[in-house]
């Protein structure tokens, strides 16, 4: 069983997200080796979602995202 928690805080006008991963049970060497790739995947997707709605909608600007 694994659990990932996150906390948000404001620092110098920016939002900081801090992750904490805890687990219970067998963690093989193969799992350990894959963790950096897994964390990179999580970070990339959280970053993409965090910035997805940042810009205001402007009906006069074309949508370049699709």
């Amino acid at each position: 069983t694994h659990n990932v928690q996150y906390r948000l805080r404001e620092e110098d006008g920016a939002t900081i997200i801090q992750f904490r991963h805890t687990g219970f049970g067998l963690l093989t060497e193969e799992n350990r080796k894959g963790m950096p790739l897994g964390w990179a995947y999580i970070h990339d997707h959280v970053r993409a979602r965090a910035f997805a709605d940042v810009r205001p909608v402007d009906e006069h600007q074309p949508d370049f995202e699709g």
Side-chain angles (χ1 to χ4, degrees):
T1 302
H2 294 267
N3 183 35
V4 176
Q5 295 177 322
Y6 68 91
R7 297 287 183 258
L8 301 172
R9 73 176 188 278
E10 187 273 331
E11 186 175 296
D12 297 326
T15 301
I16 305 298
I17 186 168
Q18 181 179 22
F19 292 98
R20 180 178 179 186
H21 175 235
T22 57
F24 177 77
L26 179 64
L27 185 61
T28 65
E29 187 60 31
E30 184 178 349
N31 295 130
R32 284 190 180 98
K33 288 180 182 178
M35 280 188 179
L37 184 61
W39 278 110
Y41 176 87
I42 290 171
H43 292 164
D44 289 345
H45 283 78
V46 168
R47 185 178 296 113
R49 291 188 71 185
F51 287 103
D53 296 325
V54 169
R55 67 183 175 150
V57 175
D58 183 348
E59 296 175 344
H60 304 289
Q61 294 294 323
D63 182 9
F64 295 105
E65 293 184 10

